[in-house]
Amino acid sequence: MKNNFDAIVLGVGSMGSATSYYLASRGYSVLGLEQFDIPHDQGSHAGQSRIIRKAYFEHPDYVPLLERAYENWKEIETKTSSQIYFPTGLLYAGKPNDILIKGVRESAEKYSVKVESLSNAQAKDRFPQFKIPESYEVLFEPDAGFVTPERAVLLYVEQAIQAGAHIQTKEKAISWKKEGEIVTVTTTKETYACKKLIITAGPWASNMIPGFSGQLKVTRQIIAWVNPKVRKDFELGQFPCWLIDDHTQPGMYYGFPILPVGKFGGPIGLKVALHYPGQPTDPDAVNRIPSKNDERDLIRAIEKLLPEGYSSTHVMKTCLYTNTPDENFLLDFLPGYNQQVAIAAGFSGHGFKFVSVVGEIMADLAMNGKTDLPIGFLNAQRFNTSV
Ligand SMILES: Cc1cc2nc3c(=O)[nH]c(=O)nc-3n(C[C@H](O)[C@H](O)[C@H](O)COP(=O)(O)OP(=O)(O)OC[C@H]3O[C@@H](n4cnc5c(N)ncnc54)[C@H](O)[C@@H]3O)c2cc1C
């Protein structure tokens, strides 16, 4: 293998897999560096499923990016004759003035995203598995659902390799530096040179992005897969994805239907978690053993929101969020490096659904110096860094 590339992608997880694919499929010479195997469960992309939704409560500016993400998911599915996106519909519930409900309504209205408003009686009739307080508002987004993270990462990497990318696993980047028109990257094995470096290092990004360590807080997140009392009521096809702000904790609980192992792999069971930054952690020293308290909080939420949803815990796992101060992504050139270094980081626990569009954006940004997609609100300048 030669040591000079048009582009090096540092970190081949969620965002790096799609970025490698978009670069290689446009004919650029690409090196993707991944410190572990592909995929793996040490970062942010493990755990079988990720919610995808368009009526984005976080900020309406994400909706145009999501429209493109849906198109791009379709494209990779068609190209690989595989299914990544599963439209189960998504039930939202919360108080009418919650950010969740107000934000979903605002994005849906602004961009004509299909969202149904359900009365409490309609919700009970259609989704009897839930127990939702009378005072809550219930919305349903039929085209929302989930995507499969490990399968998506593998498909993008497979397609990147077929298009000519070199993907090195178990090779950790230690440092990089800009030397005139080129950027060199030194790993545990070699030193490589490229015209453009794209940093997609997830929870490890702050090690690789000078000046941003204070802006990227890594947190430990707990996910449970449980056995419900009556399994068939919660299986794929019978039960939607959901997101509920029940006001017992900051953040919101969310979950997925039970996915058949033959088609989706493990773990087995009904998956439930809390979307809120957990305990801060060093990504290289994560306590991966969930505590009794972690388990108790999730069981309590399931029993409250899904009365028939819990009989026993099957598996609990940890995963990592990388949070920015405003919980919006960081997609930009790294200031001060003459557009030779681009970063995609700080996905704050809601980035996977965007993988298919972030890959395209990073390829455009790095190689053309710009993207036509509206990413201005995700710029690096909004953080007061020392770069
Ligand atoms: C519990 C949980 C639930 C979530 N639920 C959802 C959801 O429902 N919907 C949604 O849209 N999003 C969700 N997310 C968020 C989403 O999964 C993340 O935003 C996304 O995976 C982040 O991708 P990434 O590429 O930044 O990180 P990763 O996928 O972790 O990739 C970074 C990669 O870089 C590699 N790397 C880092 N440093 C180096 C180095 N020095 N050398 C070589 N390789 C390196 C890492 O090993 C890793 O493979 C969830 C996340 C978690 C943890």
Side-chain angles (χ1 to χ4, degrees):
M1 185 176 68
K2 63 178 187 151
N3 277 17
N4 290 312
F5 296 88
D6 291 325
I8 294 181
V9 179
L10 197 166
V12 188
S14 317
M15 307 301 162
S17 64
T19 303
S20 302
Y21 162 71
Y22 275 96
L23 287 164
S25 62
R26 289 173 187 182
Y28 295 110
S29 60
V30 180
L31 173 66
L33 294 170
E34 171 51 50
Q35 62 183 339
F36 301 127
D37 291 328
I38 298 174
H40 64 84
D41 63 3
Q42 305 295 297
S44 300
H45 58 261
Q48 197 183 42
S49 53
R50 293 288 187 269
I51 287 178
I52 178 164
R53 53 194 161 87
K54 222 186 260 184
Y56 224 58
F57 72 86
E58 290 89 340
H59 201 304
D61 288 359
Y62 283 106
V63 182
L65 302 181
L66 283 160
E67 283 168 347
R68 186 67 175 176
Y70 271 74
E71 285 171 18
N72 287 356
W73 284 123
K74 184 90 224 142
E75 189 186 294
I76 186 79
E77 286 184 326
T78 306
K79 186 162 191 183
T80 59
S81 307
S82 307
Q83 191 173 0
I84 299 171
Y85 156 60
F86 293 81
T88 60
L90 172 66
L91 179 142
Y92 303 92
K95 292 186 180 165
N97 275 331
D98 287 346
I99 292 169
L100 174 64
I101 297 298
K102 279 199 334 205
V104 169
R105 281 197 177 288
E106 189 189 344
S107 285
E109 274 160 28
K110 187 162 179 192
Y111 288 101
S112 306
V113 180
K114 199 155 103 192
V115 170
E116 301 162 25
S117 184
L118 304 183
S119 68
N120 226 274
Q122 285 170 325
K124 213 177 271 173
D125 190 48
R126 214 158 136 191
F127 303 110
Q129 300 92 336
F130 292 93
K131 185 173 180 202
I132 298 169
E134 291 292 327
S135 61
Y136 278 26
E137 193 163 333
V138 183
L139 301 173
F140 185 72
E141 184 179 337
D143 295 333
F146 66 89
V147 288
T148 52
E150 293 94 339
R151 184 183 302 167
V153 167
L154 278 170
L155 287 170
Y156 272 128
V157 171
E158 178 193 56
Q159 293 303 307
I161 291 169
Q162 278 186 23
H166 293 273
I167 304 289
Q168 299 287 108
T169 55
K170 294 196 166 72
E171 184 164 348
K172 182 176 180 166
I174 306 296
S175 63
W176 59 267
K177 69 175 178 248
K178 172 173 143 46
E179 298 178 88
E181 295 301 298
I182 62 158
V183 179
T184 57
V185 179
T186 299
T187 72
T188 39
K189 297 184 181 157
E190 266 291 355
T191 295
Y192 305 97
C194 60
K195 294 182 191 130
K196 306 284 179 175
L197 172 64
I198 299 122
I199 301 177
T200 47
W204 293 266
S206 63
N207 298 343
M208 289 290 136
I209 309 179
F212 279 82
S213 59
Q215 314 297 329
L216 297 170
K217 189 174 84 178
V218 179
T219 55
R220 167 185 178 272
Q221 307 298 136
I222 306 296
I223 320 162
W225 281 261
V226 305
N227 299 308
K229 290 188 180 112
V230 184
R231 190 185 151 90
K232 70 173 179 26
D233 294 346
F234 294 91
E235 287 175 343
L236 182 63
Q238 302 302 316
F239 186 64
C241 289
W242 56 276
L243 194 48
I244 301 181
D245 183 351
D246 80 337
H247 291 262
T248 54
Q249 302 266 6
M252 42 202 87
Y253 287 100
Y254 65 94
F256 300 80
I258 296 175
L259 306 182
V261 168
K263 191 165 177 188
F264 294 93
I268 300 165
L270 184 66
K271 178 179 168 185
V272 178
L274 175 70
H275 177 48
Y276 189 72
Q279 288 165 351
T281 184
D282 172 348
D284 290 317
V286 180
N287 171 11
R288 298 213 175 250
I289 303 169
S291 70
K292 274 281 152 210
N293 284 351
D294 294 328
E295 185 179 5
R296 191 204 54 216
D297 288 349
L298 285 174
I299 295 172
R300 189 199 43 71
I302 301 166
E303 287 178 334
K304 182 177 163 206
L305 300 170
L306 302 167
E308 302 295 310
Y310 185 83
S311 67
S312 61
T313 305
H314 185 63
V315 179
M316 294 186 71
K317 289 191 178 286
T318 52
C319 188
L320 302 176
Y321 280 6
T322 309
N323 307 282
T324 63
D326 60 10
E327 294 182 16
N328 291 312
F329 314 155
L330 173 54
L331 286 188
D332 205 345
F333 289 109
L334 185 58
Y337 291 86
N338 196 27
Q339 300 203 340
Q340 283 168 265
V341 182
I343 37 178
F347 289 92
S348 305
H350 60 111
F352 202 90
K353 62 185 81 60
F354 294 88
V355 159
S356 59
V357 67
V358 169
E360 181 186 9
I361 288 169
M362 296 316 286
D364 284 338
L365 209 57
M367 307 319 286
N368 306 335
K370 65 179 174 57
T371 166
D372 293 336
L373 288 157
I375 59 163
F377 71 115
L378 306 173
N379 69 76
Q381 281 73 24
R382 73 189 199 273
F383 303 119
N384 192 10
T385 66
S386 57
V387 178

